């Protein structure tokens, strides 16, 4: 079996390139802001995961490690947390953050093909780290083999983009000025790949999980807490389709894109940043 090397080859090479070269450095630079935005969703999933002291937990697509650190605190010294990710810059950040914790380890791996020890984990957790697999059924089958008897997989993934204005609003503003790429297969790897919950349930069933439950979590997110107006615009232009358009644009177009996004986000300004609705699924599977 492959050791799950993360870079130039393997089934998820395209995602590895994206998370190493494009998104990873951005997520590191914006780690606090992004974490502040999605932390309430991660906490809701952790509650659903029934994390207890002494458990062995795998954090899938752990990114900059904020959830891994929280999980390590929850399982305590008798427990252990492994964070796996294929983004070297994000793992470097995670290792700095987790340096003090002896019950926490970060490893570079493509979770879809990484040789995981059989029945090694009581809980497998992920905050938005499971929607990027080239072959999700194979990836979840791999994870299922690593789950101990009586164990549980819990993850959060986004519902459709239309229910997530934090992504849709800047995206629509940008689309009013530039021609966006034609829509791809909505199930192809990406943040909204698991928006169709029944389809996702089918993938989990196909991977061998017999008991699959999901629930809708709809919470307003605070985006860019403490940022200035200009920083809020830049932050809104980093993600998803807006980020892709900004990368392609020349300076004149960037100025127009900034103006369009500034106007679009204005109605969402709250006391501490932007306040925008979100909708995610919390999946539990055993
Ligand atoms: C949206 S980010 C979420 C990061 C982190 N869980 C958080 O909540 O801050 C998705 C993460 O999944 C990782 N990822 C994507 N595909 C992966 C794979 N096949 N194996 C391991 N990690 C993967 C990315 O590198 C990225 O860190």
């Amino acid at each position: 079996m492959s050791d799950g090397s993360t870079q130039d080859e393997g089934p998820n090479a395209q995602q590895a390139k994206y998370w190493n070269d494009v998104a990873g450095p951005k997520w590191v630079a914006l780690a606090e802001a992004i974490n502040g935005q999605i932390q309430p969703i991660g906490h809701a999933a952790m509650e659903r995961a029934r994390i207890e002291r002494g458990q062995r937990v795998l954090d899938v697509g752990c990114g900059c490690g904020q959830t891994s650190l929280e999980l390590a605190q929850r399982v305590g010294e008798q427990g252990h947390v492994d964070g796996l990710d294929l983004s070297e810059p994000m793992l470097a950040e995670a290792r700095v953050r987790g340096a003090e914790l002896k019950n926490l380890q970060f490893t570079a791996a493509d979770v879809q093909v990484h040789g995981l020890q059989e029945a090694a984990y009581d809980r497998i957790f992920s905050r938005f780290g499971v929607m990027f697999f080239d072959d999700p059924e194979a990836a979840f089958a791999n994870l299922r083999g690593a789950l101990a008897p009586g164990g549980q997989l819990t993850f959060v993934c986004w519902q459709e983009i239309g229910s997530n204005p934090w992504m849709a609003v800047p995206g629509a503003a940008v689309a009013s000025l530039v021609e966006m790429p034609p829509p791809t297969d909505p199930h192809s790897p990406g943040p909204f790949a698991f928006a169709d919950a029944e389809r996702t349930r089918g993938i989990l069933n196909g991977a061998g999980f017999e008991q699959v439950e999901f629930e809708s979590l709809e919470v307003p997110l605070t985006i860019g807490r403490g940022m200035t107006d200009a920083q809020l615009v830049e932050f809104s232009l980093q993600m998803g389709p807006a980020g892709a358009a900004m990368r392609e644009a020349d300076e004149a177009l960037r100025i127009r894109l900034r103006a369009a996004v500034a106007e679009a986000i204005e109605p969402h300004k709250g006391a501490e940043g932007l306040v925008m609705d979100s909708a995610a699924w919390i999946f539990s599977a055993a």
Side-chain angles (χ1 to χ4, degrees):
M1 177 184 261
S2 157
D3 70 351
S5 298
T6 56
Q7 290 292 321
D8 299 333
E9 27 189 76
N12 292 299
Q14 209 180 332
Q15 287 293 325
K17 190 165 172 40
Y18 175 70
W19 288 103
N20 275 282
D21 299 348
V22 182
K26 220 180 315 185
W27 274 65
V28 171
L30 300 169
E32 286 313 313
I34 294 173
N35 190 51
Q37 180 175 326
I38 56 180
Q39 200 171 34
I41 303 177
H43 284 165
M46 271 183 216
E47 291 306 316
R48 190 60 70 233
R50 297 179 294 115
I51 305 292
E52 289 167 15
R53 297 192 89 67
Q55 286 176 337
R56 299 158 300 161
V57 180
L58 174 62
D59 189 5
V60 177
C62 62
C64 299
Q66 291 105 335
T67 49
S68 314
L69 263 73
E70 290 197 45
L71 291 165
Q73 273 151 7
R74 289 186 186 219
V75 299
E77 285 174 10
Q78 304 304 313
H80 186 83
V81 175
D82 282 321
L84 296 192
D85 203 287
L86 47 59
S87 171
E88 298 285 357
M90 294 170 86
L91 285 169
E93 173 72 14
R95 289 193 182 105
V96 170
R97 288 170 182 266
E100 305 280 301
L101 292 174
K102 292 195 174 56
N103 63 345
L104 174 59
Q105 191 173 3
F106 293 107
T107 303
D110 176 346
V111 166
Q112 183 176 318
V113 292
H114 186 63
L116 296 164
Q117 196 190 326
E118 201 180 320
Y121 299 105
D122 305 300
R123 295 286 182 269
I124 299 180
F125 177 86
S126 185
R127 184 180 76 176
F128 301 122
V130 293
M131 304 91 84
F132 306 94
F133 306 131
D134 166 70
D135 184 343
E137 199 170 298
F140 283 120
N142 192 29
L143 291 173
R144 185 168 181 277
L147 207 51
Q152 183 182 316
L153 163 73
T154 306
F155 64 82
V156 276
C157 57
W158 295 113
Q159 297 187 27
E160 70 277 357
I161 190 168
S163 304
N164 283 290
W166 59 271
M167 179 76 102
V169 167
V174 164
S176 69
L177 290 176
V178 297
E179 198 179 330
M180 301 304 273
T184 52
D185 173 1
H187 308 313
S188 61
F192 302 100
F194 289 168
D196 179 342
E198 284 301 343
R199 179 180 169 275
T200 306
R201 185 208 292 275
I203 291 169
L204 290 163
N205 289 149
F209 289 96
E210 286 166 11
Q211 296 163 313
V212 178
E213 292 171 12
F214 59 87
E215 65 187 271
S216 179
L217 180 70
E218 289 153 53
V219 288
L221 303 180
T222 300
I223 298 155
R225 198 184 298 272
M227 288 185 182
T228 64
D229 286 1
Q231 287 169 330
L232 284 174
V233 172
E234 290 305 319
F235 186 60
S236 303
L237 279 164
Q238 298 281 328
M239 302 295 163
M246 278 298 269
R247 282 196 293 281
E248 303 286 312
D250 61 20
E251 195 43 42
L253 180 54
R254 283 189 183 156
I255 290 168
R256 293 174 63 216
L257 291 172
R258 283 192 189 100
V261 167
E263 190 182 338
I265 64 175
E266 181 65 31
H268 300 279
K269 276 190 189 147
E272 290 188 290
L274 304 176
V275 181
M276 287 178 158
D277 289 340
S278 77
W281 300 117
I282 304 182
F283 271 88
S284 305

